[in-house]
Amino acid sequence: MSVMNQIDHYLSTDGIRITVADITDAAREAQEIHHLSSLSAVILGKVLNASAILAMDFKNHEGVSLKWVTNSPLGTIHADAYEGRYVRGFIEHPDDGSVFYTPDKEAEWVSRRGKLFVTRYSLLKMPYVSAVDLPDGDTAACVSDYINSSDQTLSHVEIEALLDEKGKIIRVAGFIAQLMPEGDKKLFGELFARDRKWNLFDESGKEDALSTLLHKENYVLLGTAPVSFRCTCGEDRIKHSLQGLPLAEQQGLLDDDHIEIACHYCGKKYEISRETLIKWFNEKGGNVQ
Ligand SMILES: [Zn+2]
């Protein structure tokens, strides 16, 4: 069983690196904040999980932002993982709940030959964006495809979600396994064959339990951190982006006595008075009244 709300990074003496993330509470919170039905909740939960497991270089505080253009009615999905312990995200157009989640529906809605843009940054790396065409398949298959083509390393990704009968998220967890340059390629091929599925949840006495593999003595836990949903929004960021608007648009915002801005990621509402706006704009030499 994966540990609830935790990210663990392992390395084996066979040269296999595994990052496991259980983002259950973050996925539940996302479902709550964005009022998601089962299908959108699972898809967003899995994409959040994908961002968490892709931030493998935890020692250098790697952050990952996904812009997942589905080409389905969901539109674009955004997900960020940062500081090795926080995730946040939203779906542009969540489904209306008329269909209950199924794996086939997930594959149909998460990728209609869309595109995935991945931004990665860390203490050592300036942000850089890579883009790949999404293949057919579920969320994990798309992430697997991305990492295999962008990193040129042999990788394997699995992400699972559990729902209750009302369509509420019970668990979301996933992992990425990567073969290191001097790693045992044959063993990796056996452990992570395409048709083999590891058990992330129901692991009682099962041979295919991921935790059994990770508890073998040749697996070393390199790092661990709790994970939760957290947004980076705040008045300072809003101020900064509004100050960047062209003057004509700034003037347009001053028609009413206040404006209301809601954060897409966390739903938080900010009310900003006309007075404050004028102060902000004039700080940047806007000379508005
Ligand atoms: Zn926010």
Side-chain angles (χ1 to χ4, degrees):
M1 191 73 107
S2 53
V3 183
M4 285 259 276
N5 309 314
Q6 191 167 303
I7 302 179
D8 293 318
H9 305 273
Y10 293 88
L11 182 65
S12 80
T13 48
D14 311 313
I16 296 171
R17 182 164 73 165
I18 297 180
T19 291
V20 192
D22 183 309
I23 61 139
T24 298
D25 281 354
R28 281 183 185 154
E29 201 170 328
Q31 178 170 31
E32 187 88 22
I33 290 170
H34 301 303
H35 312 289
L36 302 179
S37 64
S38 58
L39 181 60
S40 288
V42 169
I43 290 174
L44 181 57
K46 287 189 174 187
V47 173
L48 286 172
N49 200 297
S51 67
I53 55 174
L54 285 174
M56 282 169 280
D57 187 6
F58 65 98
K59 280 186 182 147
N60 291 304
H61 303 263
E62 186 174 30
V64 171
S65 290
L66 303 180
K67 188 178 149 199
W68 191 301
V69 184
T70 65
N71 266 354
S72 80
L74 295 179
T76 300
I77 305 164
H78 296 267
D80 299 334
Y82 61 101
E83 290 178 28
R85 58 184 65 213
Y86 302 122
V87 292
R88 63 168 196 166
F90 69 97
I91 294 180
E92 206 177 15
H93 305 295
D95 73 293
D96 62 7
S98 53
V99 282
F100 200 84
Y101 171 82
T102 64
D104 284 348
K105 275 279 162 210
E106 177 193 336
E108 192 191 325
W109 284 56
V110 88
S111 164
R112 281 191 195 158
R113 300 292 167 111
K115 224 174 166 79
L116 173 59
F117 298 86
V118 183
T119 307
R120 302 174 82 159
Y121 55 93
S122 74
L123 295 178
L124 297 180
K125 279 182 289 197
M126 293 294 286
Y128 72 99
V129 186
S130 48
V132 289
D133 294 323
L134 290 169
D136 289 327
D138 65 4
T139 313
C142 291
V143 179
S144 222
D145 200 71
Y146 154 73
I147 196 81
N148 278 308
S149 60
S150 73
D151 278 28
Q152 311 281 311
T153 54
L154 206 51
S155 306
H156 176 85
V157 175
E158 287 184 30
I159 305 173
E160 292 295 325
L162 284 179
L163 288 167
D164 69 14
E165 72 281 0
K166 287 183 178 147
K168 294 267 179 231
I169 297 272
I170 297 174
R171 293 293 291 268
V172 179
F175 74 93
I176 183 166
Q178 270 199 318
L179 182 68
M180 304 304 285
E182 294 86 33
D184 186 337
K185 199 172 176 182
K186 187 167 168 277
L187 177 70
F188 188 92
E190 285 164 15
L191 289 173
F192 304 109
R194 264 188 178 268
D195 53 357
R196 182 170 181 182
K197 274 257 175 213
W198 287 86
N199 258 299
L200 287 163
F201 303 126
D202 175 23
E203 301 190 327
S204 47
K206 289 196 177 161
E207 205 189 306
D208 273 1
L210 186 68
S211 56
T212 309
L213 176 74
L214 295 173
H215 281 103
K216 286 188 176 164
E217 57 196 16
N218 62 327
Y219 278 82
V220 180
L221 182 64
L222 299 176
T224 184
V227 61
S228 58
F229 189 99
R230 184 190 275 194
C231 199
T232 56
C233 68
E235 231 176 69
D236 264 7
R237 282 175 187 255
I238 295 172
K239 175 179 165 180
H240 189 76
S241 54
L242 293 183
Q243 283 176 335
L245 288 176
L247 282 183
E249 280 181 53
Q250 291 186 348
Q251 196 68 55
L253 293 175
L254 301 173
D255 291 346
D256 300 311
D257 65 343
H258 72 274
I259 58 166
E260 206 175 85
I261 293 175
C263 174
H264 289 302
Y265 284 92
C266 71
K268 189 171 174 186
K269 287 193 175 71
Y270 293 87
E271 203 177 280
I272 297 148
S273 69
R274 188 169 184 277
E275 220 175 12
T276 306
L277 286 174
I278 290 173
K279 198 174 114 225
W280 288 356
F281 295 155
N282 285 333
E283 259 175 41
K284 282 275 167 181
N287 195 27
V288 293
Q289 290 158 30

